[in-house]
Amino acid sequence: MRSANRKPRTFLGRLPLPERAVVADALRTETVGGMVLLVAAVVALVWANTPASDAYVSVRDFHFGITALGLDLSVAHWTADGLLTIFFFVAGAELKRELVVGELRHPGTAVLPVVAAISGMAVPAVVYGVVATSMGGTWNGWAVPMATDIAFALGVLAVIDTHLPSALRAFLLTLAVVDDLGAIAVIALFYTSTIHLPALIGAVLGLALFFHLHDQRRVHGWYWYVPLALIIWGLTYASGVHATVAGVAMGLMLRTTRDGENGRRPAERITHLVRPVSAGAAVPLFALFAAGVTVSGDTLGQVFSRPEPLGVALGLAAGKVLGIFGGCYFAVRFTRARLSADLAWADVIAVATLAGIGFTVSLLIGELAYPDPADAEHIKAAVLVGSLTSALLASLLLKLRNNKYRRLYEEETANTNADAIPDTNGINEQDGPAGQPPDAGPQYPNAAQSESPVGRHWWTGVWRRRRLNSSA
């Protein structure tokens, strides 16, 4: 029975030390990967819009592979079905860890990101449908604006951030984990046209062997798992199911229990090794051969005049922010979920806008939803327009929030009398003479402690939250 005095868990509060270490590790790699991804996208756009565009098309469409196995694929196809499997493997492993030992294992902390992610996928799809059908279009591309590109988003955040709370990054990461699960489910359920049953059975048996060796027998050695993973991938591709689903399935099978009393969790260790390959090579190479859209007045005109591309662009730029912010607001309003006291709703709006960058997975789903190259070209242009709009708006909002936090930090750390204790001058204006907090009472029961350095730091935190909430 739940205790009546039990406080609801606060999502975006201060994470435990192991959680902070995992988040910091992910941010270091994904932020650098976001920069590499941005460079790859720019190179693709420049290459596709110069006199060397014929060379770009030739490289992108060059076929190689094992014809006898049905794997004679183009370079673009290999990056989409092959390299992105690595990205989805990391996504599956991160999801497994969050669900078993991370913040999502607690219902109280899982409610907010799950509701935000689900509404952040549903609302863009609805926006797409309303826009496209009202203009005489179809629902074919409803899933394109659902995804968030975490690497690209973190790259933008890294350029802006100096004083923003780390809780915002943690929120973006957790949201992206749930978002990736939704994208995986959409690809598996809605973009599988035909099933080749023998190959599918073979892939399932391969996954069972993977689980047996890794989880039951605890066999170590990459030379066991890499060949097995390649076989599972090949069978999944041959079955008709999108091959990236194989990466997710293997990621979800990684163990999250420690090897020995002081050992590291295999899911964390393997993800730590594979993530640089995913963020630094697999995703940027996919972007290089997927983002090469011919930018012209006609192409941009098609984005704003044709129903499906306009639905995609508005779904990313408007649907994402409405869905994520609305999901957070209603979760806090009607459930026990709570935001951190150090954050304001303006911060959530900024991050929700940033989540409208749907580059990598949106491009992938766009290729699956529109196999015709001409239609796919317009959808890719819409993804670029929607993502760029979201990135610019988010940069502006995050810059404003960063300036706010910087001013608060400077006021908190000001020490004009050199007494080793911050002046926290905002208290002087709001609550009395410098160095004297308000009288202790039921509203501020710890105010009497403020004569000590510890008490002063406590009151600085209270003051900051009051200033933040009153000036958001």
Side-chain angles (χ1 to χ4, degrees):
M1 182 176 179
R2 185 185 294 271
S3 172
N5 296 325
R6 182 179 175 183
K7 295 182 179 180
R9 292 183 62 89
T10 300
F11 183 70
L12 302 187
R14 185 173 179 81
L15 298 173
L17 181 59
E19 290 294 301
R20 294 202 301 274
V22 172
V23 170
D25 176 64
L27 283 168
R28 281 193 293 269
T29 304
E30 294 288 4
T31 300
V32 174
M35 299 299 184
V36 178
L37 176 60
L38 178 61
V39 171
V42 171
V43 170
L45 286 171
V46 172
W47 193 0
N49 290 275
T50 62
S53 59
D54 290 341
Y56 175 82
V57 174
S58 298
V59 173
R60 184 190 63 191
D61 296 339
F62 177 75
H63 280 65
F64 67 97
I66 306 173
T67 306
L69 297 178
L71 294 175
D72 184 20
L73 309 177
S74 67
V75 171
H77 203 164
W78 276 113
T79 58
D81 282 49
L83 292 182
L84 276 192
T85 304
I86 302 173
F87 165 78
F88 281 107
F89 172 79
V90 174
E94 290 175 340
L95 176 63
K96 173 70 174 289
R97 187 197 174 279
E98 286 296 318
L99 290 173
V100 177
V101 298
E103 286 293 288
L104 294 183
R105 75 185 187 275
H106 301 293
T109 55
V111 168
L112 198 60
V114 169
V115 171
I118 291 174
S119 59
M121 291 184 288
V123 174
V126 171
V127 169
Y128 168 89
V130 170
V131 172
T133 56
S134 65
M135 297 175 63
T138 68
W139 277 88
N140 289 359
W142 63 273
V144 177
M146 292 175 60
T148 295
D149 192 311
I150 182 61
F152 223 140
L154 286 174
V156 173
L157 193 62
V159 173
I160 301 297
D161 175 32
T162 54
H163 293 88
L164 293 172
S166 60
L168 286 181
R169 306 182 193 91
F171 175 53
L172 194 58
L173 280 173
T174 309
L175 181 74
V177 168
V178 183
D179 190 278
D180 287 340
L181 175 62
I184 294 159
V186 166
I187 291 172
L189 294 175
F190 297 99
Y191 295 101
T192 300
S193 55
T194 58
I195 295 292
H196 187 248
L197 193 57
L200 182 60
I201 293 174
V204 172
L205 292 176
L207 289 170
L209 179 59
F210 183 96
F211 178 78
H212 177 73
L213 292 175
H214 177 72
D215 193 88
Q216 304 299 310
R217 300 297 296 274
R218 304 200 174 189
V219 175
H220 296 274
W222 64 266
Y223 42 83
W224 289 99
Y225 296 104
V226 172
L228 180 58
L230 292 174
I231 293 172
I232 294 171
W233 177 88
L235 289 170
T236 304
Y237 178 83
S239 72
V241 177
H242 199 271
T244 54
V245 176
V248 180
M250 287 183 282
L252 288 171
M253 289 181 178
L254 296 182
R255 277 189 298 112
T256 54
T257 54
R258 296 185 183 277
D259 286 333
E261 184 176 350
N262 298 317
R264 195 173 184 182
R265 306 179 196 277
E268 294 177 358
R269 184 180 69 252
I270 295 171
T271 303
H272 179 78
L273 294 173
V274 178
R275 184 183 283 116
V277 179
S278 170
V283 175
L285 283 173
F286 168 76
L288 179 63
F289 295 106
V293 178
T294 302
V295 178
S296 64
D298 179 66
T299 303
L300 295 177
Q302 294 288 338
V303 171
F304 295 102
S305 61
R306 293 186 60 178
E308 291 86 356
L310 182 59
V312 168
L314 290 178
L316 286 170
K320 270 291 184 180
V321 62
L322 291 174
I324 292 174
F325 179 79
C328 286
Y329 177 80
F330 285 112
V332 171
R333 178 70 176 82
F334 297 108
T335 72
R336 294 175 61 85
R338 294 293 180 268
L339 286 175
S340 170
D342 291 331
L343 298 178
W345 283 109
D347 299 318
V348 179
I349 293 177
V351 172
T353 306
L354 188 63
I357 302 175
F359 193 73
T360 303
V361 180
S362 291
L363 290 175
L364 173 62
I365 297 177
E367 291 181 349
L368 297 175
Y370 295 93
D372 181 79
D375 292 336
E377 189 84 356
H378 296 140
I379 294 300
K380 288 181 179 180
V383 171
L384 295 177
V385 169
S387 298
L388 180 60
T389 302
S390 296
L392 292 176
L393 289 175
S395 297
L396 175 61
L397 294 174
L398 289 168
K399 188 67 176 177
L400 293 174
R401 298 308 298 168
N402 188 64
N403 292 340
K404 175 73 68 176
Y405 281 108
R406 186 184 69 249
R407 289 194 297 270
L408 290 175
Y409 174 78
E410 291 171 351
E411 291 172 357
E412 289 172 12
T413 57
N415 186 24
T416 56
N417 54 4
D419 61 354
I421 299 176
D423 298 331
T424 56
N425 294 327
I427 297 176
N428 301 352
E429 301 172 4
Q430 299 181 37
D431 300 294
Q436 296 183 15
D439 294 334
Q443 187 177 3
Y444 305 112
N446 297 321
Q449 302 172 6
S450 61
E451 294 180 0
S452 67
V454 174
R456 285 293 297 271
H457 287 308
W458 171 87
W459 175 246
T460 297
V462 174
W463 170 75
R464 180 179 187 176
R465 287 192 289 272
R466 290 182 58 193
R467 288 288 305 278
L468 177 64
N469 292 328
S470 64
S471 60

